[in-house]
Amino acid sequence: MANVLPGRFASSRWSCARQRGGPIKPAAWQSRPLTTTHFLKGQAMVPDDLSPNARLALRALACASERNLEGFRTCCAPDIVLDFPFHPNGAQTHYGVDEMIREFSVEKVFETFRIDPQEVLDCGDKIIIEGRSHGTYRSGRPPYGNHYIFIMACKDGKVTHWKEFYNPLEALKQNYGKPRPEKQAGA
């Protein structure tokens, strides 16, 4: 696909700085460049050469964002690992797709919630997605928004590791991780 957006929203190529085992030698990164795909207001600018792993990671993120948890299950390995390195309650790790689905479905305080991908970095079996969340609460509290970085490992057509970084300061502003009346009432 040709670049259809000017400036920073145009599809571009980058070299991968690291790979398993250390820095990539120049010959390796020249033959396997990192693809950057930008998103603008939910309209994906996806080049034809986006890898199956990048498409899988974007599909998994869309299913999680839409709370399509059974669709999400089809994207993930049964033994997937979910990491929240900077959770407001301390680092958390969850094991298995069923535990991950429970973790994602527990947050029922939102009337609406979505994560819009902003940029995708495709490193073969590692996919990095930058995204922004937008949510409205059932209780009428001010809207929730946050900035995310997802690092996903893919193998054999499944996401095997999901590492989610988000701004804990934004989460703490919304009392994320603390008891809330609407959460206790089952809203």
Side-chain angles (χ1 to χ4, degrees):
M1 170 184 264
N3 293 340
V4 294
L5 291 176
R8 69 184 194 104
F9 293 107
S11 177
S12 59
R13 298 240 182 224
W14 297 78
S15 63
C16 202
R18 287 186 51 90
Q19 182 176 332
R20 264 186 257 220
I24 296 176
K25 296 180 178 102
W29 67 256
Q30 289 172 349
S31 64
R32 187 171 157 225
L34 176 68
T35 301
T36 302
T37 306
H38 294 275
F39 291 77
L40 177 62
K41 296 182 182 175
Q43 298 300 313
M45 299 305 303
V46 181
D48 295 334
D49 65 347
L50 192 62
S51 75
N53 285 340
R55 291 178 192 277
L56 171 66
L58 286 168
R59 188 169 62 248
L61 182 60
C63 286
S65 174
E66 296 163 5
R67 300 302 194 243
N68 173 0
L69 300 178
E70 290 310 309
F72 181 75
R73 181 185 301 277
T74 66
C75 296
C76 297
D79 58 348
I80 189 170
V81 176
L82 167 65
D83 282 325
F84 294 115
F86 298 107
H87 193 280
N89 291 336
Q92 295 185 2
T93 301
H94 302 276
Y95 300 94
V97 71
D98 291 329
E99 177 66 22
M100 193 169 176
I101 285 173
R102 271 193 298 281
E103 184 64 27
F104 283 168
S105 64
V106 81
E107 195 60 60
K108 298 181 190 247
V109 300
F110 290 109
E111 181 70 32
T112 63
F113 184 83
R114 74 177 192 277
I115 297 174
D116 295 325
Q118 304 293 305
E119 188 171 350
V120 176
L121 303 175
D122 183 356
C123 294
D125 64 347
K126 295 274 186 176
I127 308 299
I128 303 167
I129 302 172
E130 178 185 1
R132 301 269 180 185
S133 69
H134 311 276
T136 57
Y137 287 97
R138 293 179 192 273
S139 65
R141 291 186 353 208
Y144 177 77
N146 212 330
H147 187 188
Y148 293 79
I149 300 292
F150 301 93
I151 302 173
M152 296 184 209
C154 302
K155 184 177 179 182
D156 300 326
K158 299 287 184 181
V159 177
T160 59
H161 195 145
W162 178 295
K163 191 177 285 191
E164 185 172 317
F165 297 88
Y166 54 90
N167 184 343
L169 297 176
E170 286 299 320
L172 288 170
K173 284 182 195 175
Q174 299 288 330
N175 290 324
Y176 185 82
K178 296 179 183 176
R180 297 186 296 259
E182 65 267 20
K183 197 170 189 178
Q184 293 171 345

